[in-house]
Amino acid sequence: MAKASTTRFTVSLPDQLMETLDRLRSARGYGNRSEFVRDLLRGELVKEEWAEQRGETVGVVLLVYDHETRLLADKLTDIQHHSFGDIAAALHIHLDEHACLEVIVLRGSAKRIRALADSLMSVKGVRYGKLVPATTGKGMR
């Protein structure tokens, strides 16, 4: 496979934003600004590709909740059982005596994944929920 060519360009940023970029780059262990900016851009491309994708795609839903919240675990399980065809895998982790983390891998159309993720994240008692779109990255370099 031939190596892609590289283009250099200049970006002007206010000092405060530049300091933020350097702080984030350093904290995340990037050796230079170019590597960091490339990965930021790739992350945006994944979101775009995922939203526009036709056919099957994947996404990961993260849920944090208190398992003692009345009927919450039952509601989440019920939603998952009704959508078993869209769920590739699920992982349940006990964070402490009360808090649980669920990691659910979904497969299907972006629209169905978004709808299922929204239905899980919006259940009363879920403290935190996030959908992480994923892609094969075939179109990225």
Side-chain angles (χ1 to χ4, degrees):
M1 178 183 234
K3 185 176 177 181
S5 64
T6 300
T7 302
R8 292 181 182 264
F9 69 101
T10 302
V11 176
S12 298
L13 296 175
D15 290 343
Q16 189 173 10
L17 193 53
M18 192 69 219
E19 290 169 11
T20 300
L21 183 131
D22 282 337
R23 179 181 51 79
L24 293 172
R25 178 201 53 81
S26 178
R28 295 179 188 179
Y30 285 88
N32 59 57
R33 292 173 181 157
S34 293
E35 290 175 12
F36 183 59
V37 171
R38 275 193 293 271
D39 274 358
L40 290 174
L41 182 55
R42 285 183 185 122
E44 290 303 308
L45 290 171
V46 167
K47 289 183 210 174
E48 185 178 90
E49 181 181 310
W50 191 82
E52 295 174 358
Q53 188 158 347
R54 303 288 182 251
E56 186 176 77
T57 190
V58 295
V60 179
V61 176
L62 307 171
L63 303 171
V64 176
Y65 61 92
D66 183 338
H67 78 272
E68 293 182 356
T69 300
R70 183 167 145 55
L71 301 176
L72 176 57
D74 290 340
K75 290 175 186 174
L76 294 173
T77 300
D78 189 53
I79 292 169
Q80 291 179 58
H81 278 277
H82 282 87
S83 302
F84 72 91
D86 298 322
I87 297 176
L91 174 66
H92 182 94
I93 301 168
H94 303 280
L95 299 175
D96 61 29
E97 289 183 20
H98 304 285
C100 296
L101 168 69
E102 296 252 353
V103 179
I104 306 164
V105 180
L106 305 175
R107 294 182 83 132
S109 69
K111 183 177 179 180
R112 282 186 18 195
I113 289 174
R114 168 54 72 193
L116 179 51
D118 287 346
S119 70
L120 290 163
M121 294 184 298
S122 65
V123 174
K124 186 176 181 180
V126 172
R127 292 180 183 165
Y128 175 76
K130 181 171 181 101
L131 171 62
V132 180
T135 179
T136 61
K138 289 179 185 175
M140 289 186 280
R141 299 271 181 242

